[in-house]
């Protein structure tokens, strides 16, 4: 026996950490990957891969979404709340600019059509 119960526990812990490390490495290089390809890269079954992946997401050591029907895993970096608010502010600013331009064009059209000088 390679060390009894303690050796088996240590070997299982090492295997778990290696799998987690490999998933983190894959998440750095891929934004989308099929679950089958991820399982192939990790040398695991699809079910084991999905289990390890979901455990890491639950523990918040990884941010990922799994589309089970399509078999696609999407990795994304966790966004800071300031980044989210800044992107919303930028989108609102663009929207207000578009509304202002539209109002200007509408006002311009109404002025042209109300003009007393009409060419016939």
């Amino acid at each position: 026996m390679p060390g009894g119960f303690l050796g088996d526990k240590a070997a299982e812990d090492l295997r778990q950490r290696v799998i987690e490390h490999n998933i983190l490495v894959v998440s750095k290089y891929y934004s989308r990957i099929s679950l089958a390809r991820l399982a192939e890269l990790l040398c695991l079954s699809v079910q084991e891969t999905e289990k390890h992946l979901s455990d890491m997401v639950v523990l918040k050591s990884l941010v990922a979404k799994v589309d089970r029907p399509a078999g696609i895993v999407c990795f994304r970096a966790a966004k800071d709340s300031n980044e989210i608010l800044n992107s919303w502010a930028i989108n609102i600013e663009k929207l207000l600019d578009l509304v202002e331009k539209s109002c200007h064009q509408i006002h311009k059209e109404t002025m042209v059509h109300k003009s007393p000088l009409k060419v016939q």
Side-chain angles (χ1 to χ4, degrees):
M1 286 190 119
F5 177 72
L6 190 57
D8 293 341
K9 173 85 170 107
E12 184 57 35
D13 284 346
L14 177 64
R15 181 178 181 273
Q16 178 77 18
R17 298 300 170 255
V18 168
I19 291 170
E20 289 175 0
H21 169 75
N22 290 342
I23 290 174
L24 288 172
V25 169
V26 168
S27 74
K28 298 288 183 206
Y29 289 98
Y30 290 87
S31 59
R32 284 173 54 113
I33 187 170
S34 71
L35 198 55
R37 177 67 178 145
L38 180 60
E40 183 182 330
L41 290 173
L42 297 173
C43 298
L44 298 172
S45 69
V46 173
Q47 291 79 16
E48 281 183 297
T49 302
E50 189 173 354
K51 181 194 173 299
H52 287 288
L53 192 62
S54 62
D55 288 344
M56 290 178 71
V57 169
V58 167
L59 294 173
K60 298 188 185 213
S61 59
L62 178 70
V63 179
K65 289 186 179 181
V66 179
D67 182 1
R68 291 180 91 189
I72 301 289
V73 179
C74 295
F75 298 107
R76 61 178 174 89
K79 285 190 175 180
D80 184 39
S81 58
N82 288 331
E83 290 178 34
I84 294 170
L85 288 175
N86 286 339
S87 69
W88 286 355
I90 290 170
N91 289 340
I92 289 173
E93 185 178 339
K94 288 179 182 176
L95 177 66
L96 290 175
D97 187 45
L98 189 61
V99 168
E100 184 179 342
K101 286 180 182 177
S102 299
C103 288
H104 177 72
Q105 290 295 329
I106 291 170
H107 183 69
K108 184 178 170 183
E109 283 292 318
T110 57
M111 294 303 284
V112 166
H113 289 298
K114 287 184 180 177
S115 173
L117 301 173
K118 291 191 179 181
V119 178
Q120 298 205 9

